[in-house]
Amino acid sequence: MAIPDAQIFPHATGPAQKIVAQHLDAQDFVFYSGWHNARLTDMVDINPKGLVPAVEYKGKAIYESLVICEFLEDLYPTQKPLLPNEPLTRAIARIWIDFISKSVVPAFQRLLQAQDAGKQIELREEYNEALRKYANEVKGPYFLGENFSLVDVAIAPWIVRDYVVQEHRGFKREDVNEAWVRYASTIEKRKSVVETQSVNRLPPAAWADR
């Protein structure tokens, strides 16, 4: 069986590398993201799907991105909450997190995987429409208003990696609408988002030394 993500650089780079370096001591909570050089059987022990991200906490496995996010919310209750305390707003947040998972992410993946030029045009508009629907609900500057929330966390990875569909599938943020351009820029410039990103492209010499 081929090793999954074998062509992904084996450790964090750029700003994310500094964050990793600050958390190398042994602890109860271990976060696996990207290919981490463990044996495939070890990864399947953590997540039966063999996928990351995944968490090992006190010897127990937790996986699926949004499940991990809510687990962290519960694990550190003294930190500033990412889900609203008010029941209605909390439910609305979960509705839009579900929308990201079921509409935005699949549309991104379909566009990325499309090889036919005509199909790419069709799927690009499908992706634009999903983002447009989301953007029209943004209160500003973040989805629920002034406070960064789990809704923003859920969509942030797809904002910072949209350079892929920009370069290879003709995607442009401006084609969504101005609300999306403003919101996406706000998210990608947020300190916590910037500091947890690896470098998009590495020089050939870096790969030679991996």
Side-chain angles (χ1 to χ4, degrees):
M1 180 182 293
I3 297 175
D5 295 342
Q7 299 305 311
I8 292 179
F9 203 72
H11 60 74
T13 60
Q17 188 172 11
K18 297 178 182 178
I19 295 292
V20 171
Q22 295 169 14
H23 299 86
L24 293 178
D25 293 338
Q27 51 192 297
D28 289 334
F29 184 96
V30 182
F31 179 72
Y32 297 92
S33 177
W35 185 243
H36 60 281
N37 288 338
R39 293 180 298 116
L40 179 59
T41 52
D42 292 339
M43 191 66 246
V44 173
D45 285 342
I46 298 167
N47 180 354
K49 296 180 180 179
L51 301 173
V52 291
V55 162
E56 188 175 2
Y57 182 68
K58 294 185 176 180
K60 299 293 185 181
I62 300 164
Y63 44 92
E64 301 296 346
S65 298
L66 297 177
V67 174
I68 292 172
C69 286
E70 291 214 24
F71 171 70
L72 291 172
E73 185 85 344
D74 294 336
L75 188 61
Y76 300 105
T78 60
Q79 299 296 312
K80 186 175 181 179
L82 289 173
L83 277 173
N85 291 321
E86 196 276 318
L88 177 59
T89 310
R90 193 179 184 93
I92 290 171
R94 285 194 164 117
I95 287 171
W96 285 98
I97 291 169
D98 185 69
F99 177 81
I100 294 166
S101 179
K102 293 180 179 176
S103 296
V104 174
V105 176
F108 179 97
Q109 299 289 12
R110 283 192 289 269
L111 174 58
L112 186 61
Q113 293 168 12
Q115 301 300 311
D116 178 75
K119 193 66 175 176
Q120 288 174 13
I121 294 172
E122 175 188 333
L123 293 174
R124 188 166 62 238
E125 181 50 35
E126 176 188 277
Y127 183 51
N128 287 345
E129 183 55 34
L131 296 179
R132 195 173 295 127
K133 184 173 181 178
Y134 178 95
N136 288 340
E137 299 297 323
V138 172
K139 301 295 184 288
Y142 299 113
F143 186 82
L144 295 175
E146 292 298 322
N147 294 323
F148 187 70
S149 74
L150 202 53
V151 187
D152 307 299
V153 171
I155 205 165
W158 307 100
I159 290 174
V160 300
R161 69 183 61 161
D162 72 2
Y163 71 92
V164 178
V165 287
Q166 288 185 46
E167 294 180 8
H168 301 287
R169 294 295 182 266
F171 170 74
K172 296 178 182 178
R173 291 179 180 177
E174 313 89 76
D175 291 343
V176 179
N177 59 22
E178 183 57 34
W180 177 254
V181 172
R182 288 195 306 270
Y183 175 75
S185 178
T186 296
I187 296 298
E188 71 180 356
K189 291 176 181 176
R190 181 179 167 85
K191 184 173 182 285
S192 61
V193 174
V194 171
E195 291 183 346
T196 50
Q197 287 187 65
S198 284
V199 177
N200 288 339
R201 296 173 182 80
L202 291 167
W207 285 92
D209 297 335
R210 60 184 292 209

